[in-house]
Amino acid sequence: MKIHEYQAKSVLARFGVPVPRGEVAFTPAEAGDIARRLGGPISVVKAQIHAGGRGKGGGVKLAKSPEEAEQLAKQMIGMTLVTHQTGPEGKKVSRVLIEEGLEIERELYLSILIDRASARPVVIGSAAGGMDIEEVAAKQPDKILREQINPGTGVVPFQARKLAFGMGLGSGPANKLVKLLDAIYKAFIETDASMIEINPLILTKGGDLLALDAKVTFDDNALYRHADLREFRDITEEDPLEVEASTFSLNYIRLDGNIGCMVNGAGLAMATMDIIKLAGGEPANFLDVGGGANAEQIKNAFRILMADANVRAVLINIFGGILRCDVLAQGVIAAVKELGVRVPIVVRMEGTNVEEGKKMLRESGLSFTTADSMGEAADKVVALARGK
């Protein structure tokens, strides 16, 4: 689960991470009032969306007066902000963060995430703060510093100092980074975060370290332990089809292709997407209906699948274990009849009650294309998506 920058900073501040003073505004008038309360000659108006690259897209502006902050907020709230992470469709801005202006000496990069290869948290640091870390890693890999963290000890002070000196910090700021990194790691563990990214982490002219920006993602599977964090979810920032799918306990992620996929089991779903790519096609989604799906869930899954206007053909790939093949066939037949589906459908299924399921498809009066292997199914659905 992603959250907004202002929410991420409130979480980090709770664990002692220094952040700039600021408040969120939902109207231009609120933005002006916040800028007045903050005082100081400069305030920063920052659009709040679940995407990076806001500055380059015009979503971060400096205001030299409360009146200018109000005017900038008026321009941002309601606008569609397009960045390299939103795609060409962009995201609508519904709120802005108003923060105090700071005198910046240096911009650094700092993050914690899970290194799946070592099954441990890893801290990533770089002197190239304020830049896209992927671009830095590709063009200047020597500027990327990594420290794996032993979960039994947490961040050891020498690791923080090693990162600090590697980023070119002096002894004073290095000692501050020790405390700051310890606080960030504590926030990471206690909130069950999957990523905390601070870009940039700034060194002020006064020698202080502050999280000027913050991006936090939480592990959805652990949210049952964090009722307070669940309240941060903003469904307006999520794909409507993904939100609807979650209400039916379906795992759905929308992609850019034109071949819809319905599969039971995450591993089989990934393999299905791979084999579609291998056959020269592009999957339109990841959709795992789960092992315990019933006919009603299958129908809902199909409705969500077909709500994507880009879908030109559908591949249903089921291994009947807990989800029996006859139950799948019943749900698919009901969905196709009720929704009036007009795109071609390829069905490949094996497992429990497979013959009953195939018989139901044959006798349904509907035009299903069947396949016995994944390779055959992928070849057929790719050809049908191309109108062949």
Side-chain angles (χ1 to χ4, degrees):
M1 184 183 81
K2 296 180 180 179
I3 60 176
H4 289 292
E5 174 194 358
Y6 74 94
Q7 296 167 328
K9 285 178 173 175
S10 71
V11 172
L12 294 178
R14 194 191 312 166
F15 289 89
V17 178
V19 299
R21 293 182 303 123
E23 298 176 42
V24 67
F26 292 87
T27 67
E30 288 177 353
D33 291 340
I34 293 168
R36 291 183 186 91
R37 286 198 297 273
L38 291 175
I42 294 177
S43 58
V44 187
V45 183
K46 308 175 77 174
Q48 298 296 283
I49 60 171
H50 288 180
R54 293 168 297 163
K56 295 177 182 177
V60 179
K61 301 281 188 180
L62 295 179
K64 296 181 180 178
S65 68
E67 292 73 25
E68 187 177 2
E70 184 171 338
Q71 186 59 35
L72 290 172
K74 186 176 182 180
Q75 295 172 11
M76 287 187 195
I77 295 175
M79 75 180 286
T80 298
L81 183 58
V82 179
T83 79
H84 68 283
Q85 291 189 11
T86 64
E89 69 278 4
K91 285 185 176 288
K92 188 175 181 180
V93 178
S94 63
R95 64 199 82 181
V96 293
L97 173 61
I98 312 299
E99 283 190 335
E100 62 178 335
L102 297 167
E103 293 186 330
I104 301 173
E105 180 72 26
R106 288 190 58 196
E107 294 187 357
L108 310 168
Y109 175 92
L110 192 68
S111 68
I112 299 181
L113 61 158
I114 298 296
D115 177 13
R116 300 196 182 279
S118 63
R120 290 184 174 192
V122 60
V123 179
I124 299 176
S126 176
M131 297 176 60
D132 294 331
I133 198 65
E134 295 85 0
E135 183 179 339
V136 176
K139 296 182 178 179
Q140 299 172 295
D142 56 303
K143 287 195 173 183
I144 304 294
L145 309 173
R146 294 178 176 85
E147 283 292 323
Q148 288 190 356
I149 307 303
N150 185 328
T153 62
V155 181
V156 180
F158 87 84
Q159 293 179 299
R161 292 192 183 92
K162 183 179 176 183
L163 286 168
F165 295 141
M167 291 188 286
L169 294 176
S171 58
N175 289 330
K176 290 182 179 180
L177 186 67
V178 172
K179 292 182 63 177
L180 182 140
L181 189 52
D182 186 63
I184 294 173
Y185 181 75
K186 187 176 181 182
F188 181 82
I189 295 299
E190 294 193 13
T191 64
D192 290 300
S194 54
M195 182 192 73
I196 295 179
E197 181 182 63
I198 299 175
N199 187 23
L201 171 70
I202 63 164
L203 175 65
T204 68
K205 292 188 182 296
D208 293 321
L209 291 173
L210 288 92
L212 193 65
D213 196 0
K215 184 184 295 183
V216 177
T217 304
F218 300 111
D219 184 347
D220 293 1
N221 295 312
L223 285 175
Y224 71 94
R225 292 199 287 248
H226 305 284
D228 56 330
L229 300 180
R230 289 201 303 270
E231 298 300 317
F232 285 151
R233 186 183 182 190
D234 182 0
I235 61 173
T236 64
E237 289 286 323
E238 302 175 28
D239 186 295
L241 292 179
E242 294 181 15
V243 174
E244 185 179 1
S246 68
T247 64
F248 298 113
S249 300
L250 300 169
N251 296 310
Y252 174 88
I253 299 172
R254 193 171 185 173
L255 302 173
D256 298 327
N258 62 1
I259 298 175
C261 308
M262 184 189 299
V263 190
N264 65 328
L268 185 59
M270 295 298 289
T272 301
M273 292 163 61
D274 285 345
I275 205 163
I276 287 173
K277 293 278 287 186
L278 188 64
E282 291 291 336
N285 64 273
F286 170 100
L287 174 55
D288 171 17
V289 298
N294 53 37
E296 186 66 22
Q297 269 187 305
I298 296 294
K299 187 169 72 174
N300 287 323
F302 216 98
R303 182 169 50 79
I304 291 167
L305 195 71
M306 296 313 305
D308 182 354
N310 293 327
V311 171
R312 295 287 176 267
V314 175
L315 172 56
I316 300 174
N317 186 14
I318 298 293
F319 181 79
I322 301 173
L323 172 58
R324 305 193 318 265
C325 293
D326 57 328
V327 173
L328 166 78
Q330 178 188 354
V332 170
I333 292 167
V336 171
K337 288 181 177 178
E338 182 177 321
L339 301 173
V341 178
R342 294 290 179 263
V343 302
I345 301 168
V346 177
V347 182
R348 180 264 179 181
M349 56 185 177
E350 289 292 346
T352 306
N353 292 356
V354 64
E355 294 306 324
E356 291 92 329
K358 288 180 177 180
K359 181 181 178 183
M360 292 171 69
L361 294 177
R362 286 194 303 270
E363 297 176 353
S364 66
L366 301 171
S367 180
F368 293 106
T369 300
T370 59
D372 293 325
S373 70
M374 287 178 60
E376 180 190 358
D379 289 337
K380 286 184 176 180
V381 78
V382 169
L384 289 167
R386 292 172 176 168
K388 296 180 181 179

